């Protein structure tokens, strides 16, 4: 953190945000006690995945895009295969669809457990890190580690390995798991379901700042189930669109201070909010029964517009994921074929699925040889940057008289509630504050 | 993999092809808290990875962990959400977990350009490690490495004699 003070101007700079993935910072400038400028600077180099994909065969896409993130590779695979299947007009059977939801449940469990306990909870309990928190809260940290391990185990069984799974393909899976292998998860998932309820109790009692602006929440929505892989995109401001219209309603733009693109509403340039809080607010009644009951009993008023309570939303989704995973395994019948055969054809398709940290949109155009001619990937963190900056503009005027260290902590705490993955979005955090 | 960055994975792959080399082998591309599950499985764990310390490509470095003598990639912040080996070691200690004796075998990388082949110097270093795995295993099971040992490229004294384990190693390669 660097600071600069003068009569008219004061600067605070947090060079690197910690407990987030990737490299970025925050720049804040004030004059005469008035906040003038807030920028979330992403200085992690662009990763050019969209360019890497051009010229590659369509079945390589889920394996390449999985490499974008070690925490949420399944999300990249899911958005990729659904977009490509839209281009090919392929519809996998219900058994494959259920397996994909089960795989996504595994990723939500490992990612949410990591964020709740290891990245976000220390902010509310006054610890510098989960390592410091572990000395006073070993039971919670051990719970997190076991939950994460169970999520990873699900990815290993369904995806072949926990990091960057290899079994997902356009049309289904290269290999469908045996029912007996999935049943080995049941005892752990039953423990995880109860541990998730304990997690919700733990996070519901954290001390939350009093801040609840009017957001536009955006998420995938399905008429009959909690959103993961399909179908429409809806918002709390009345948007209800097919994914093919996403880029008409929400616009990605370059900002000079950032190597990540920032998303806004195309019509009025306003920010919007994706992630677990958006999903629950827009799909509350689609939660699994025990998750729904626990959410209602949590003491949180839903819909909830306090971004800090995103940690509660994640805990509710942790319950949901464990509950749904148990149900999916119970009803699993090994498919006759692990994937749908299809004829390669030229086409264009897009899809939006729900990564642990929010809506993830992919669009591909392929030629008649199945080679990618165009790829667009809009990750959840890039969609939230604009909203994070707006939150900081609303919150910082109330803390500008505090120490630079305190201001930096306010910035980091707010940004971490979004569970940003800068590496995914670079195409992201460091605080620099100038005030006078 | 990016050129010499594949050195660690390549050592594991070749040892795997040898059959039983007397060690359990794992290829970890993103070391994080998952390593806590690995710690109870062995008395000694050796992390083999490409390092960039400004030394001569193909040099080998052997040190116990944690170590302030090297800043290898495996100790850096390139792991998921900031959870690397250092953080995992600190967490294990905070939770009272048992941590085995840990070592790093670093292989100085030359080129780490995307898609580049392994450089001849690193190729020789990988071959030397594979050839001397039995001696390395014996050394680490019976000796402490109290400071970083540096072996210049093609230095066939690698991994050194157990009775010299307490000696400060020579520095600088021709």
């Amino acid at each position: 953190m660097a600071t600069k003070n003068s009569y008219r101007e004061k600067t605070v700079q947090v060079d690197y945000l910690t407990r987030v993935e990737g490299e970025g910072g925050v720049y804040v400038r004030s004059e005469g006690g008035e906040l003038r400028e807030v920028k979330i600077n992403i200085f992690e180099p662009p990763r050019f995945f969209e360019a890497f994909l051009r010229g590659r065969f369509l079945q390589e896409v889920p394996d390449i895009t999985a490499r974008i993130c070690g925490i949420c590779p399944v999300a990249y695979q899911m958005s990729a295969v659904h977009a490509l299947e839209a281009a090919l007009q392929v519809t996998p059977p219900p058994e494959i669809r259920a397996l994909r939801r089960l795989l996504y449940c595994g990723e939500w469990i490992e990612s949410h457990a990591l964020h709740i306990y290891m990245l976000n909870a220390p902010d509310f309990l006054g610890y510098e890190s989960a390592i410091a928190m572990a000395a006073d809260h070993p039971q919670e940290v051990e719970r997190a580690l076991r939950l994460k391990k169970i999520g990873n185990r699900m990815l290993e069984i369904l995806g072949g390995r926990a990091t960057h799974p290899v079994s997902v393909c356009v049309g289904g899976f290269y290999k469908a798991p045996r029912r007996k292998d999935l049943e080995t998860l049941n005892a752990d998932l039953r423990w995880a379901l109860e541990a998730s309820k304990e997690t919700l109790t733990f996070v519901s009692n954290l001390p939350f700042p009093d801040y609840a602006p009017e957001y536009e929440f955006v998420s995938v929505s399905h008429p009959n189930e909690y959103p993961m892989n399909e179908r429409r995109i809806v918002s709390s401001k009345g948007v209800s669109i097919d994914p093919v219209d996403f880029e008409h309603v929400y616009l990605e733009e370059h900002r000079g201070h950032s190597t990540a693109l920032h998303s806004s509403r195309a019509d009025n340039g306003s920010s919007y909010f994706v992630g677990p809080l958006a999903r629950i607010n827009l799909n509350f009644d689609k939660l699994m029964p025990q998750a729904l009951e626990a959410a209602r009993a949590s003491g949180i008023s839903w819909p909830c517009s306090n971004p800090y309570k995103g940690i509660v939303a994640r805990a509710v989704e942790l319950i949901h994921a464990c509950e749904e995973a148990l149900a999916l395994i119970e009803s699993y019948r090994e498919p006759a074929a692990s994937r749908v055969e299809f004829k390669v054809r030229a086409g264009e398709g897009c899809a939006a699925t729900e990564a642990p940290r929010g809506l993830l949109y992919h669009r591909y155009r392929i030629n008649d040889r199945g080679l990618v001619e165009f790829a667009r990937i809009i990750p959840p963190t890039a969609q939230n940057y604009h909203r994070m900056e707006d939150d900081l503009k609303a919150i910082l005027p109330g803390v500008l008289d505090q120490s630079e260290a305190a201001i930096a902590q306010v910035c980091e705490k707010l940004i971490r509630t979004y569970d940003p993955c800068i590496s995914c979005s670079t195409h992201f955090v460091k605080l620099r504050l100038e005030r006078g | 993999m990016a050129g010499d960055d594949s050195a660690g994975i390549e050592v594991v792959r070749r040892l795997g092809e040898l059959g039983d080399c007397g060690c359990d082998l794992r290829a970890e591309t993103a070391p994080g808290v998952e390593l806590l599950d690995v710690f109870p499985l062995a008395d000694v764990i050796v992390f083999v990875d490409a390092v960039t310390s400004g030394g001569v490509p193909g040099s080998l470095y052997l040190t116990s962990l944690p170590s302030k003598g090297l800043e290898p990639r495996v100790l850096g912040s390139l792991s998921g959400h900031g959870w690397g080996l250092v953080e995992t070691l600190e967490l294990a200690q905070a939770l009272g977990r048992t941590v085995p004796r840990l070592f790093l075998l670093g292989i100085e990388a030359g080129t780490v350009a995307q898609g580049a082949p392994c450089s001849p110097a690193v190729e020789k270093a990988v071959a030397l490690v594979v050839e001397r795995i039995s001696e390395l295993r014996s050394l680490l099971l019976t000796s402490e490495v109290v400071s970083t040992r540096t072996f210049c490229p093609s230095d066939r004294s690698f991994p050194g004699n157990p009775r010299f384990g307490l000696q400060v190693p020579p520095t600088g390669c021709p």
Side-chain angles (χ1 to χ4, degrees):
Chain A
M1 182 176 70
T3 64
K4 179 182 125 183
N5 290 281
S6 69
Y7 177 73
R8 292 187 52 78
E9 202 170 83
K10 188 169 184 178
T11 301
V12 174
Q13 176 174 320
V14 173
D15 294 332
Y16 292 94
L17 280 175
T18 58
R19 281 186 273 133
V20 299
E21 171 65 22
E23 297 171 350
V26 181
Y27 168 77
V28 178
R29 181 173 64 84
S30 70
E31 288 179 13
E34 297 288 325
L35 183 66
R36 298 297 187 202
E37 195 172 8
V38 176
K39 292 176 180 173
I40 296 176
N41 309 315
I42 309 306
F43 48 85
E44 179 157 323
R47 298 170 72 200
F48 306 116
F49 268 87
E50 290 150 318
F52 294 157
L53 289 165
R54 288 201 291 268
R56 308 306 291 253
F57 185 61
L58 61 91
Q59 284 291 25
E60 293 181 277
V61 175
D63 292 328
I64 293 173
T65 55
R67 293 285 175 160
I68 292 174
C69 184
I71 303 294
C72 53
V74 171
Y76 284 91
Q77 293 185 315
M78 291 296 104
S79 288
V81 296
H82 283 86
L84 289 163
E85 287 163 3
L88 295 161
Q89 299 181 10
V90 170
T91 305
E95 296 87 349
I96 298 301
R97 187 178 180 281
L99 274 179
R100 287 177 170 174
R101 284 188 71 86
L102 184 58
L103 182 61
Y104 233 145
C105 285
E107 180 162 282
W108 280 20
I109 291 169
E110 59 93 4
S111 180
H112 282 1
L114 176 73
H115 184 258
I116 290 170
Y117 287 104
M118 315 299 272
L119 306 177
N120 203 193
D123 281 327
F124 298 101
L125 295 171
Y127 296 101
E128 184 184 20
S129 69
I131 296 164
M133 191 178 92
D136 297 331
H137 297 274
Q139 187 179 355
E140 282 74 22
V141 173
E142 292 284 9
R143 185 189 296 139
L145 293 171
R146 187 170 173 189
L147 281 165
K148 190 173 190 311
K149 185 176 180 179
I150 292 169
N152 285 347
R153 178 73 183 134
M154 292 173 70
L155 265 58
E156 286 169 6
I157 291 178
L158 281 150
R161 61 188 187 191
T163 306
H164 310 311
V166 292
S167 68
V168 173
C169 64
V170 177
F173 289 82
Y174 289 111
K175 181 184 179 185
R178 303 301 306 268
R179 181 179 171 83
K180 63 180 176 57
D181 293 330
L182 293 182
E183 287 176 336
T184 64
L185 293 165
N186 282 338
D188 274 342
L189 280 167
R190 282 192 287 271
W191 175 88
L193 179 57
E194 296 309 311
S196 300
K197 294 175 182 175
E198 291 166 3
T199 300
L200 178 59
T201 301
F202 171 66
V203 299
S204 297
N205 292 305
L206 294 172
F208 297 108
D210 185 15
Y211 172 67
E214 187 182 344
Y215 289 124
E216 176 173 2
F217 291 109
V218 178
S219 84
V220 174
S221 185
H222 186 279
N224 304 317
E225 59 195 21
Y226 199 72
M228 281 185 180
N229 281 320
E230 51 193 73
R231 172 175 308 170
R232 293 179 69 79
I233 296 167
V234 301
S235 94
S236 55
K237 298 282 190 184
V239 170
S240 178
I241 54 174
D242 187 276
V244 298
D245 293 320
F246 180 75
E247 292 177 71
H248 301 300
V249 178
Y250 300 102
L251 188 66
E252 266 196 319
E253 292 179 307
H254 173 69
R255 300 286 173 91
H257 61 272
S258 174
T259 56
L261 298 174
H262 286 214
S263 293
S264 309
R265 279 282 297 247
D267 54 359
N268 60 17
S270 63
S271 59
Y272 62 98
F273 187 124
V274 301
L277 203 56
R279 285 195 291 261
I280 289 191
N281 285 337
L282 294 166
N283 304 276
F284 189 78
D285 61 344
K286 305 298 187 309
L287 286 164
M288 293 291 284
Q290 293 184 58
L292 186 62
E293 181 184 352
R296 285 179 170 143
S298 67
I300 303 295
S301 178
W302 307 98
C304 172
S305 290
N306 184 332
Y308 298 100
K309 294 181 182 175
I311 194 172
V312 182
R314 280 184 177 81
V316 173
E317 285 193 339
L318 203 51
I319 301 172
H320 175 97
C322 296
E323 193 178 356
E324 180 164 357
L326 283 164
L328 288 165
I329 293 172
E330 174 64 27
S331 62
Y332 179 62
R333 301 288 177 269
E334 293 175 19
S338 67
R339 60 186 183 272
V340 179
E341 296 298 330
F342 56 86
K343 188 175 186 309
V344 173
R345 45 170 283 176
E348 185 166 345
C350 64
T353 76
E354 287 289 345
R357 46 198 54 74
L359 189 150
L360 170 60
Y361 172 88
H362 286 211
R363 176 162 65 89
Y364 300 98
R365 186 173 67 243
I366 54 175
N367 64 23
D368 58 8
R369 292 184 296 153
L371 303 181
V372 175
E373 292 186 331
F374 173 87
R376 173 154 292 163
I377 297 172
I378 305 179
T381 298
Q383 297 179 69
N384 278 335
Y385 285 136
H386 188 177
R387 189 56 252 179
M388 292 179 208
E389 287 182 346
D390 283 353
D391 280 341
L392 291 175
K393 288 172 185 171
I395 293 169
L396 287 175
V399 299
L400 284 176
D401 59 344
Q402 295 184 16
S403 69
E404 284 75 17
I407 295 171
Q409 167 63 11
V410 167
C411 291
E412 291 200 277
K413 183 174 180 177
L414 181 278
I415 290 170
R416 278 196 289 264
T417 65
Y418 283 85
D419 190 12
C421 187
I422 297 169
S423 300
C424 283
S425 72
T426 50
H427 327 277
F428 167 136
V429 193
K430 190 173 180 180
L431 165 66
R432 212 160 67 98
L433 168 62
E434 293 184 13
R435 63 182 172 185
Chain B
M1 294 291 282
D4 293 343
D5 200 18
S6 65
I9 297 286
E10 188 61 18
V11 167
V12 169
R13 188 186 69 77
R14 293 187 193 186
L15 288 174
E17 288 178 352
L18 288 178
D20 184 7
C21 67
C23 306
D24 290 328
L25 303 168
R26 293 175 68 116
E28 296 283 350
T29 55
V33 290
E34 288 76 15
L35 289 175
L36 288 173
D37 297 328
V38 178
F39 288 168
L41 302 179
D43 297 322
V44 175
I45 295 178
V46 185
F47 297 92
V48 186
D49 201 1
V51 302
T52 53
S53 69
V56 179
S59 299
L60 295 170
Y61 310 97
L62 187 59
T63 187
S64 57
L65 294 173
S67 168
K68 295 178 180 175
L70 287 172
E71 191 68 26
R73 174 177 170 168
V74 74
L75 301 178
S77 60
L78 296 174
S79 54
H81 292 249
W83 281 93
L85 182 54
V86 167
E87 293 79 9
T88 302
L89 281 172
E90 290 175 355
L91 183 62
Q93 288 160 356
L95 292 171
R97 299 269 190 108
T98 300
V99 177
R101 296 167 62 221
L102 303 176
F103 298 93
L104 171 73
L105 173 57
I107 302 174
E108 183 76 38
T111 175
V112 290
Q114 196 72 35
C118 205
S119 68
V122 169
E123 171 62 35
K124 285 181 181 175
V126 167
L128 182 59
V129 172
V130 173
E131 178 192 326
R132 298 295 175 90
I133 190 65
S134 187
E135 289 83 357
L136 177 64
R137 179 176 176 275
S138 297
L139 173 76
L140 297 181
L141 283 172
T142 58
S143 305
E144 294 295 336
V145 178
V146 293
S147 60
T148 302
R149 289 178 165 193
T150 301
F151 298 89
C152 297
S154 302
D155 181 348
R156 297 189 63 79
S157 69
F158 173 82
N161 190 314
R163 66 191 175 90
F164 299 135
L166 299 178
Q167 283 190 350
V168 176
T171 57
C173 298

